[in-house]
């Protein structure tokens, strides 16, 4: 998919289709009015019939209008006239691309009202268009044997008009970044959508090697079980011991140019299937636990964005990955193991496995003397209860870092919400037999999970992203959402430019 910036008036664009935003009751915004003048009122006259109500996201494909170079026109509803919200604008762009993808249109230009949001400058505008377009064109990598639908003909999308040289540059930069974010998001979704018998820890390691082979700035190391044992990752080993699949610990490193700064470390939970172990889960929606490596997939996705854009920063991705299975060799409730940090943990519930693999990975992060460490994990059902599917949960031992993440989520429309991580929560992890238990009660479950990780991140600037509610959808639309790749990418982009 190619993105371009135009500076000519809409009417003179020689594209297959011009996408025109129409407000409710057929009212015209500034862009549509400009076009209406160019086609001598033909657009307004047609809308006067009332055939197109202009509700947000509604579309109608028409032949070209007289006086316009484009051979077709696609009307897109943009809701009530006046301030278009960012959410409605995204919905309209998405609907337009989805409608275009069903046609033979190869090139298109957007003439939509821009959202009345001062934050959405030319850069973020271009970025959002590219990123929404990629998301709308995404096809699930299913394993159905029937004939695959033909890929969309759409190959070129133009945005503008760029009034000044500066705005053209910002738009272009945004489009490049948005396209990279599209690639990173697809990387995540493709991995997370694969079933657990295909996307195993070894598969994730092979995928990491592929990423490293593609970019000069990237190197990779994969620790196998023996190397993991050498690192004394007793908690990680405890989780994998019930499984026949060998565990892997993936270390990816991107060294951008001109950077001697301490690295940013991203850690992703890579449980390729979570049965709960001996504390077995209900069969209900257990298939969805193939998505329990979404944190790992998100980290690989965001890492890809940084490599693709050659961001000038030092970035390290750590992915502990294994299965959580019940078996004769599996850990049992009450078992006590020793983490890489030397602290002992009483495993009261084998289904609280994410924190066990993460605590050893977070300890491993210390050797890089990182600027900041972010872990990303489908960690708790409690986070889904707290925030639903709309916000990723953020917990941190540094409020400025948490604010930076929430801000990145706002800018990239991949929202996150901070939850409190005060001392009391950590006190709930008391054990009679070990330094800590791996679970506290039901109450505040998302935060007590974070508090467990907090025991291993003292003196690091650390934040935890619980994506249990945001990383994938269940039900009819079951599948990976690609979240929070956009948030993480924005975080890295902003960090590398300061
Ligand atoms: N992978 C799950 C968390 C999860 C649950 C993600 C539902 C998405 C949807 C995690 O390993 C888990 O099982 N957590 C337990 C923790 C509990 C035993 C303290 C949970 O949330 O029930
Ligand atoms: Mn679990
Ligand atoms: Zn899990």
């Amino acid at each position: 998919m190619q993105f371009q910036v135009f500076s000519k008036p809409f009417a003179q664009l020689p594209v297959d289709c011009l996408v025109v935003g129409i407000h409710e009751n057929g009212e015209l915004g500034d862009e549509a009015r400009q076009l209406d003048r160019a086609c001598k009122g033909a657009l307004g006259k047609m809308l006067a019939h009332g055939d197109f109500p202009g509700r947000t996201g509604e579309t109608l494909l028409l032949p070209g209008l007289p006086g316009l170079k484009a051979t077709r026109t696609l009307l897109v509803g943009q809701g009530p006239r006046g301030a278009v919200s960012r959410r409605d604008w995204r919905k309209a762009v998405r609907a337009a691309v989805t409608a275009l993808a069903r046609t033979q249109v190869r090139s298109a230009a957007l003439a939509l009202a821009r959202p009345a949001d001062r934050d959405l400058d030319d850069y973020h505008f271009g970025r959002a268009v590219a990123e929404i377009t990629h998301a709308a064109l995404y096809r699930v990598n299913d394993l159905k044997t029937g004939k695959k639908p033909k890929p969309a003909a759409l190959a070129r999308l133009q945005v503008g008009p760029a009034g000044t040289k500066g705005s053209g540059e910002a738009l272009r930069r945004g489009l490049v970044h948005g396209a990279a974010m599209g690639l990173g998001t697809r990387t995540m979704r493709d991995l997370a959508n694969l079933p657990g018998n295909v996307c195993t820890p070894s598969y994730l390691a092979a995928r990491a090697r592929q990423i490293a082979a593609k970019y000069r700035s990237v190197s990779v190391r994969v620790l196998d079980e023996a190397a993991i044992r050498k690192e004394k990752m007793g908690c990680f080993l405890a989780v994998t011991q019930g499984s026949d699949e060998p565990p892997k610990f993936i270390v990816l490193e991107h060294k951008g140019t001109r950077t001697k700064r301490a690295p940013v470390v991203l850690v992703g939970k890579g449980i390729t299937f979570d049965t709960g172990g001996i504390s077995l889960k209900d069969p209900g929606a257990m298939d969805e636990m193939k998505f329990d490596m979404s944190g790992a997939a998100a980290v690989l996705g965001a890492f890809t964005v940084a490599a693709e854009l050659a961001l000038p920063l030092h970035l390290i991705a750590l992915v502990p990955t294994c299965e959580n299975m019940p078996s004769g060799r599996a850990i049992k409730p009450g078992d006590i193991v020793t983490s890489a940090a030397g602290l002992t943990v009483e495993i009261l519930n084998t289904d609280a496995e994410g924190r066990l693999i993460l605590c050893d990975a977070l300890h491993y992060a210390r050797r890089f003397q990182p600027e900041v460490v972010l872990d990303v994990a489908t960690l708790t059902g409690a986070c889904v209860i707290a925030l639903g599917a709309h916000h990723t949960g953020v917990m941190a031992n540094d409020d400025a870092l948490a604010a930076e993440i929430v801000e990145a989520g706002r800018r990239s429309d991949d929202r996150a919400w901070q939850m409190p991580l005060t001392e009391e929560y950590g006190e709930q992890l008391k054990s009679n037999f070990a330094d800590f238990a791996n679970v506290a009660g039901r109450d505040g479950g998302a935060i007590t999970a974070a508090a467990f990780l907090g025991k291993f991140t003292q003196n690091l600037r650390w934040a935890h992203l619980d994506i249990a509610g945001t990383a994938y959808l269940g039900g009819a639309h079951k599948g990976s959402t690609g979240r929070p790749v956009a948030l993480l990418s924005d975080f890295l982009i902003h960090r590398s430019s300061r």
Side-chain angles (χ1 to χ4, degrees), residues 269 271 274 281 289 292 324 351 353-354 378-379:
K269 171 179 173 182
I271 295 291
D274 182 10
K281 286 185 182 294
M289 283 301 122
D292 212 21
N324 185 22
D351 198 9
E353 84 297 340
T378 46
L379 204 62

Side-chain angles (χ1 to χ4, degrees), residues 125-310:
F125 175 83
R127 198 175 81 175
V129 168
E131 183 237 312
I132 296 163
T133 302
H134 275 280
L137 295 177
Y138 178 78
R139 296 288 168 272
V140 174
N141 53 334
D142 62 48
L143 301 173
K144 295 181 183 180
T145 55
K147 228 168 91 200
K148 296 267 178 222
K150 269 213 313 238
L154 188 66
R156 196 152 53 87
L157 189 66
Q158 303 193 344
V159 297
T164 62
K165 185 153 174 282
S167 82
E169 274 316 301
L171 265 176
R172 244 182 296 275
R173 199 173 110 87
L175 289 169
V176 169
H177 284 196
M181 285 159 70
L183 173 71
T185 304
R186 193 178 74 208
T187 301
M188 170 178 179
R189 295 176 77 176
D190 280 350
L191 281 172
N193 282 332
L194 286 172
N197 63 332
V198 175
C199 186
T200 59
S202 304
Y203 185 95
L204 280 179
R207 190 73 188 79
R209 287 207 174 89
Q210 266 177 20
I211 292 169
K214 184 170 171 194
Y215 302 103
R216 273 222 325 252
S217 64
V218 177
S219 56
V220 64
R221 226 185 119 200
V222 177
L223 311 194
D224 62 7
E225 186 173 338
I228 294 166
R229 205 168 291 283
K230 258 198 194 130
E231 293 292 338
K232 299 192 163 63
M233 297 187 180
C235 287
F236 181 19
L237 287 167
V239 176
T240 190
Q241 78 185 41
S243 165
D244 290 338
E245 281 292 336
K248 303 285 171 191
F249 189 91
I250 303 166
V251 185
L252 274 168
E253 185 164 5
H254 157 79
K255 273 195 171 143
T257 50
R258 289 180 290 111
T259 170
K260 293 236 155 27
R261 258 165 57 181
V264 171
V265 178
L266 300 179
V267 180
K269 171 179 173 182
I271 295 291
T272 58
F273 197 82
D274 182 10
T275 65
I278 296 300
S279 313
L280 196 62
K281 286 185 182 294
D282 282 347
M286 208 207 270
D287 67 288
E288 291 179 8
M289 283 301 122
K290 73 173 186 177
F291 294 117
D292 212 21
M293 37 58 74
S294 294
V299 164
L300 294 179
F303 186 91
T304 302
V305 177
E308 182 76 18
L309 295 176

Side-chain angles (χ1 to χ4, degrees), residues 142-492:
D142 62 48
L143 301 173
K144 295 181 183 180
T145 55
K147 228 168 91 200
K148 296 267 178 222
K150 269 213 313 238
L154 188 66
R156 196 152 53 87
L157 189 66
Q158 303 193 344
V159 297
T164 62
K165 185 153 174 282
S167 82
E169 274 316 301
L171 265 176
R172 244 182 296 275
R173 199 173 110 87
L175 289 169
V176 169
H177 284 196
M181 285 159 70
L183 173 71
T185 304
R186 193 178 74 208
T187 301
M188 170 178 179
R189 295 176 77 176
D190 280 350
L191 281 172
N193 282 332
L194 286 172
N197 63 332
V198 175
C199 186
T200 59
S202 304
Y203 185 95
L204 280 179
R207 190 73 188 79
R209 287 207 174 89
Q210 266 177 20
I211 292 169
K214 184 170 171 194
Y215 302 103
R216 273 222 325 252
S217 64
V218 177
S219 56
V220 64
R221 226 185 119 200
V222 177
L223 311 194
D224 62 7
E225 186 173 338
I228 294 166
R229 205 168 291 283
K230 258 198 194 130
E231 293 292 338
K232 299 192 163 63
M233 297 187 180
C235 287
F236 181 19
L237 287 167
V239 176
T240 190
Q241 78 185 41
S243 165
D244 290 338
E245 281 292 336
K248 303 285 171 191
F249 189 91
I250 303 166
V251 185
L252 274 168
E253 185 164 5
H254 157 79
K255 273 195 171 143
T257 50
R258 289 180 290 111
T259 170
K260 293 236 155 27
R261 258 165 57 181
V264 171
V265 178
L266 300 179
V267 180
K269 171 179 173 182
I271 295 291
T272 58
F273 197 82
D274 182 10
T275 65
I278 296 300
S279 313
L280 196 62
K281 286 185 182 294
D282 282 347
M286 208 207 270
D287 67 288
E288 291 179 8
M289 283 301 122
K290 73 173 186 177
F291 294 117
D292 212 21
M293 37 58 74
S294 294
V299 164
L300 294 179
F303 186 91
T304 302
V305 177
E308 182 76 18
L309 295 176
L311 291 184
L313 92 170
H314 187 183
L315 178 65
I316 291 168
L318 302 178
V319 174
T321 172
C322 69
E323 291 180 337
N324 185 22
M325 300 289 284
S327 88
R329 280 178 293 111
I331 37 162
K332 306 169 291 297
D335 284 2
I336 295 178
V337 295
T338 305
S339 64
L343 298 166
T344 55
V345 177
E346 183 184 18
I347 299 173
L348 290 177
N349 189 321
T350 67
D351 198 9
E353 84 297 340
R355 61 197 80 182
L356 295 174
I357 71 170
L358 290 172
C359 73
D360 282 346
L362 287 166
H363 181 73
Y364 190 90
R366 284 187 191 277
R367 72 191 59 198
F368 302 106
Q369 296 178 295
E371 205 167 67
V372 292
V373 182
L374 270 55
D375 78 74
V376 188
T378 46
L379 204 62
T380 65
C383 192
V384 190
I385 303 293
L387 297 175
H390 308 301
H391 284 81
T392 290
V394 180
M395 286 141 273
N397 61 10
D398 181 309
D399 282 338
L401 177 59
E404 199 180 326
I405 291 166
V406 169
E407 195 53 26
R410 218 176 47 75
R411 278 191 303 257
S412 56
D413 290 305
D414 183 1
R415 286 171 302 168
W417 198 261
Q418 188 183 3
M419 304 210 268
L421 182 56
T422 45
E423 283 164 29
E424 309 86 289
Y425 296 96
E427 289 160 12
Q428 289 179 233
L429 293 161
K430 285 217 168 82
S431 157
N432 286 353
F433 305 105
D435 294 334
F436 320 109
N438 75 329
V439 291
R442 253 177 94 230
D443 298 356
I447 307 179
T448 53
F452 179 88
L453 300 176
K455 307 275 189 198
F456 297 85
T457 54
Q458 277 164 10
N459 307 315
L460 291 172
R461 281 189 77 203
W462 157 78
H464 159 63
L465 280 72
D466 195 329
I467 58 169
T470 50
Y472 64 93
L473 300 172
H477 298 284
K478 195 187 289 180
S480 173
T481 59
R483 295 179 65 183
V485 172
L487 178 158
L488 293 170
S489 304
D490 181 283
F491 177 85
L492 296 173

